[in-house]
Amino acid sequence: MSITGPGTKLSGREFDVATVRADFPILSRKINDHPLVYLDNAATTQKPRQVIDAISNYYEQTNSNVHRGVHTLSIEATDAYEVARAKVAKFINAPRPETVIWTRNTSESLNLVAATWADKNVGEGDNIVITAMEHHSNIVPWQQLAARKHAELRYLAAGKDGLLDMANIESTIDSRTKIVSATHISNVLGTVNPVAELANRAHEVGAVILIDAAQSVPHMAVDVQAIDADFLCFSAHKMLGPTGIGVLYGKYDLLDEMPPFMFGGDMILEVTYEDAKWNELPYKFEAGTPNIADAIATGVAVDYLTDLEMDNVWEHEQQLTAYALDRLTALNGITIFGPEDPALRGGVISFVHDKIHPHDLGTALDQQGIAIRTGHHCAMPLIRSYDVVAAARASFYVYNTKTEIDALVSGINDTERYFVR
Amino acid sequence: MMGNTSGSGSLGELDDLYEAIILDHYRNPRNTDPVDSPDIDLEVNNPFCGDEFQIQMKVENDAVTAVGITGRGCAISQASASLLAELVEGKKSGEVRASVSSFRRLLQGEELSEEERDVLGDIEALGGVRKFPIRIKCALLSWVGLDDALKEHLAK
Ligand SMILES: Cc1ncc(COP(=O)(O)O)c(C=O)c1O
C-alpha cells in the first residue's frame, strides 16, 4: 500500500505524512494480516518514537523524585518536569507556567474544578450550564455537584444539524449561572463550538467558563487568552503523549483562591501537628509524587506537534475530514451525525448503517486491520437523542491518509456485502 | 489499494463468528410475536452497545408454552435471542435452565457432552464467539436475562 497522502502543500511548510508515519512504530504492525489502519484517534492517539524514547530515557538517565532532593538527579528531574510544564503553557498560550496543573487526564481536571472552585462557589438556587453534547466526564461531576448543592444543571441544546442552539444562550446562561462547562470539539459530532462566544456570555453574567479541550488542543491551535477561558483541560494521551497525564489550565487568580483538591506531600508549604499551609501554584494542586516521566514525555509530544505546526495539523485533518465525508455520504444506508459542512467540524465522524449494527461493523473492519470506535462514545444522552443506541466513529490524526479512508470505505462495502447480501 | 479481497466470506475469520445459521437467524428472527398475558415479561439491555430485548413467556405446568423475544442489537445478540426463543418453546423449565448452563459452558470453551450438544443443536454455531471474547456478552445477553427471570418465577 502507499502511505503518502497526496503531497499536500500546507500553509507554511511541507507536511509530509510519510515522514510523520515513519515516526510511529505501531503503524508498521499488522492486524489480522492487514496493515493497521488506525482511525480511533478520538479515543487515544498513537505515540511517536520520540515520546516513547523520552519515557525510557527518563528512567534510564534521570529517574529521581522532584522538588525534594539536593542531588543531581533530583535537580535534573525537577528541571525536566518544569520545562515540560512551560512547554505546555506556551503551547496553549497560558500567561505563566504556574497556571498549568498536571492531572491524570481530562476527567480528573474536570472533577478538580467541580470539587474545588464549583464546590465553593455554587449554592442553592444557582445553576450550572453544560451542553447537550458533552462527554460523560463533563456531565456526571456536574450532576453530582448540582444534587449536593441543590443547584440546577442546565443544558444548552444542540440541533439536529449538530450545532449548539446559540439563540437560547441568553436565557440559558443567566444571572444565577455560576459556571459554564462546554466541550470545544464534540467527540461524537466533531462540532467545533463557539467557545469564545460562550465565554463572553458567561463573563457577562459573572460566571466562569470551563472548556473541555480534550478534542481540540490535540488538533488545532488553542489560545486560552484569546478564548478568555477561565479553565481549560485536556489529556496528553489524545495528543501523541502517554496515558496517565493530563492538564488543567486555570487563570492565576482563580486557582490561587481555590481550595486544594487532594492533600498530601508537595502540596503543602508548612505542616504543624495541628494544621497545614498550602503550597503556592501549581503545587497546591499536585499532591504526592507526580507522574514525572509522563509529564516530561508530554513536553516531547508538544515539541512534536509544535514542529509540525498546529495550523498544518488542522489543515491536514480538514482535508481528510472533507474527503471522508464525501466518500461516506456517497454510500447507501449511511447516516452521518454532526455538521454537514466540514469547515464546522474537526476530524471526528460518527455514523450508523441502516442494516449493520455498529459492533458487527467494528468486528468486520477489525478483520481487515481497520480500528474504529463503536458504541455510545461516552455520550449516551446525545447518542440517544439521535434515536440510535450506538454508532460507529472514525477519527483522524496527523498520520492518517486518504488511502486509509479508502480502506475504510471499501471495508464498509465488503461488510455490507457480507451481512446484507 | 490496501484492504481485502472482495466478496463475502473473505473477511478474515469472520465466518467463524457469523456462521450461516447465525446470519439466517439475524435476518429472519423467530418467535418475535408478543405473548398474550405473559407470566414472564422482562427487558434486558447492554448499555455498552445499546442492545435491548423484551422477553415474554407463558409458563404453564412447569413448561414454556409460548415465547416472544423482540428487540434490537447486533447480529450476534439478535441471532442468539432468536435461537434461544426457538429452543425454549415447549421445554420444561428445568430443561431450559440446563440448556442455559450448557450454553454458558460452550462460550467458556468447555467440552460439552454428546447429550448437551444434541439439545443445543444449531446453537453450537454460536460457539465461534469464543474467538471474539468482547462479543461473548452479546451472545449471553438474552440467555442470562431469561434464566434469571425463570429462576425468579419458579421461586414464587
Ligand atoms: C470531549 C472529551 N472530554 C473528556 C474526555 C475524557 O478524557 P479522559 O478519558 O482522558 O479523561 C474525552 C475522551 O474520551 C473526550 O473526548
Side-chain angles (χ1 to χ4, degrees):
Chain A
M1 81 170 197
S2 116
I3 50 164
T4 38
T8 28
K9 177 87 175 116
L10 296 157
S11 40
R13 38 182 263 194
E14 204 75 34
F15 179 95
D16 183 22
V17 189
T19 313
V20 170
R21 288 182 69 90
D23 286 332
F24 291 77
I26 208 169
L27 295 180
S28 48
R29 244 203 91 167
K30 294 224 158 156
I31 302 290
N32 296 317
D33 296 329
H34 292 274
L36 167 64
V37 173
Y38 186 77
L39 301 177
D40 193 16
N41 294 288
T44 198
T45 63
Q46 299 304 343
K47 323 302 174 199
R49 168 63 64 205
Q50 291 85 333
V51 167
I52 300 167
D53 285 350
I55 297 168
S56 44
N57 281 345
Y58 169 76
Y59 287 120
E60 285 175 14
Q61 299 296 328
T62 319
N63 179 51
S64 184
N65 213 324
V66 289
H67 307 132
R68 349 201 134 155
V70 293
H71 59 81
T72 301
L73 288 183
S74 178
I75 293 165
E76 283 180 15
T78 304
D79 200 38
Y81 180 70
E82 293 306 331
V83 164
R85 188 195 309 275
K87 285 177 184 172
V88 169
K90 185 155 178 249
F91 191 61
I92 57 172
N93 196 29
R96 41 205 284 201
E98 312 91 276
T99 56
V100 167
I101 316 272
W102 294 115
T103 62
R104 280 189 305 137
N105 47 39
T106 306
S107 303
E108 186 173 280
S109 303
L110 292 164
N111 275 278
L112 191 161
V113 177
T116 60
W117 189 91
D119 192 79
K120 191 175 158 190
N121 291 288
V122 176
E124 190 166 345
D126 289 336
N127 68 66
I128 302 152
V129 176
I130 63 177
T131 82
M133 57 174 92
E134 298 306 319
H135 187 281
H136 293 162
S137 293
N138 198 25
I139 301 177
V140 186
W142 306 117
Q143 289 176 335
Q144 296 295 313
L145 181 85
R148 211 162 61 232
K149 297 287 178 178
H150 305 286
E152 185 193 350
L153 178 58
R154 293 184 177 172
Y155 290 85
L156 196 58
K160 281 280 173 275
D161 57 2
L163 302 177
L164 282 184
D165 184 2
M166 295 300 280
N168 285 331
I169 172 173
E170 294 200 353
S171 53
T172 311
I173 301 174
D174 65 15
S175 60
R176 293 306 302 264
T177 304
K178 284 288 184 283
I179 183 163
V180 176
S181 189
T183 192
H184 194 174
I185 295 186
S186 160
N187 68 314
V188 177
L189 307 173
T191 317
V192 184
N193 287 321
V195 283
E197 233 176 290
L198 291 173
N200 197 24
R201 175 61 190 164
H203 294 150
E204 253 171 39
V205 299
V208 299
I209 181 134
L210 163 53
I211 294 163
D212 175 351
Q215 299 294 347
S216 63
V217 163
H219 304 281
M220 69 200 301
V222 170
D223 179 335
V224 293
Q225 297 188 68
I227 297 170
D228 201 10
D230 295 299
F231 299 106
L232 183 139
C233 48
F234 51 97
S235 300
H237 71 91
K238 293 183 198 284
M239 50 187 288
L240 309 178
T243 53
I245 186 128
V247 167
L248 170 67
Y249 158 80
K251 280 185 183 161
Y252 190 92
D253 291 346
L254 288 172
L255 291 173
D256 200 38
E257 282 166 20
M258 272 152 63
F261 180 43
M262 288 198 279
F263 304 89
D266 261 349
M267 57 76 62
I268 44 77
L269 205 56
E270 188 186 346
V271 182
T272 61
Y273 280 117
E274 294 76 32
D275 206 1
K277 256 202 199 137
W278 312 141
N279 203 342
E280 61 189 0
L281 291 177
Y283 311 114
K284 181 170 81 178
F285 292 105
E286 294 180 1
T289 300
N291 188 348
I292 306 163
D294 293 320
I296 293 169
T298 299
V300 175
V302 164
D303 286 342
Y304 193 96
L305 290 169
T306 305
D307 198 43
L308 289 178
E309 295 181 20
M310 289 314 287
D311 289 345
N312 288 339
V313 169
W314 178 250
E315 182 56 32
H316 175 69
E317 290 180 34
Q318 282 278 290
Q319 290 183 12
L320 289 177
T321 306
Y323 182 70
L325 283 173
D326 260 4
R327 293 230 47 200
L328 289 170
T329 316
L331 296 178
N332 284 329
I334 298 268
T335 305
I336 296 172
F337 303 126
E340 274 172 29
D341 180 356
L344 299 177
R345 61 193 295 159
V348 174
I349 302 180
S350 294
F351 59 95
V352 289
H353 187 291
D354 62 358
K355 298 217 173 58
I356 311 169
H357 187 280
H359 278 184
D360 294 320
L361 180 62
T363 296
L365 290 175
D366 180 57
Q367 287 301 310
Q368 304 163 70
I370 303 168
I372 59 159
R373 173 79 191 269
T374 57
H376 53 60
H377 313 299
C378 297
M380 279 187 185
L382 176 68
I383 288 278
R384 288 203 184 115
S385 75
Y386 281 89
D387 285 330
V388 296
V389 284
R393 178 184 74 190
S395 52
F396 314 123
Y397 210 21
V398 290
Y399 34 70
N400 289 125
T401 66
K402 289 186 180 171
T403 315
E404 291 182 312
I405 291 165
D406 291 339
L408 170 68
V409 169
S410 88
I412 295 171
N413 279 329
D414 289 344
T415 308
E416 179 170 342
R417 270 196 292 281
Y418 187 91
F419 282 103
V420 185
R421 270 191 259 237
Chain B
M1 263 313 292
M2 101 178 33
N4 48 221
T5 46
S6 60
S8 56
S10 66
L11 301 183
E13 295 180 350
L14 219 50
D15 288 345
D16 295 344
L17 182 59
Y18 303 103
E19 286 203 33
I21 181 83
I22 294 177
L23 288 175
D24 177 44
H25 274 262
Y26 165 55
R27 295 192 190 113
N28 314 294
R30 326 291 203 262
N31 297 46
T32 55
D33 290 338
V35 172
D36 271 346
S37 47
D39 300 300
I40 291 175
D41 191 347
L42 79 150
E43 268 178 29
V44 291
N45 72 352
N46 176 354
F48 172 65
C49 43
D51 291 0
E52 49 198 19
F53 292 93
Q54 183 174 21
I55 303 177
Q56 297 182 318
M57 285 193 289
K58 199 139 194 70
V59 185
E60 290 162 312
N61 300 324
D62 197 35
V64 178
T65 52
V67 57
I69 305 186
T70 51
R72 54 181 180 175
C74 64
I76 300 301
S77 64
Q78 291 215 37
S80 168
S82 171
L83 285 157
L84 171 68
E86 216 176 44
L87 175 84
V88 302
E89 177 104 64
K91 289 266 186 348
K92 292 274 182 212
S93 54
E95 293 173 322
V96 172
R97 299 212 57 207
S99 301
V100 174
S101 150
S102 308
F103 184 62
R104 279 185 204 258
R105 294 184 40 243
L106 171 76
L107 296 187
Q108 282 158 8
E110 287 176 38
E111 204 64 47
L112 298 190
S113 70
E114 206 56 47
E115 207 184 326
E116 286 178 293
R117 297 183 54 191
D118 278 351
V119 174
L120 290 185
D122 283 348
I123 294 168
E124 230 187 318
L126 280 167
V129 175
R130 282 196 308 266
K131 274 200 185 169
F132 300 80
I134 194 97
R135 306 298 299 276
I136 288 178
K137 261 197 188 151
C138 314
L140 277 175
L141 180 61
S142 52
W143 293 67
V144 170
L146 181 139
D147 193 38
D148 286 349
L150 197 55
K151 187 165 75 184
E152 213 171 281
H153 179 77
L154 295 175
K156 271 186 203 160

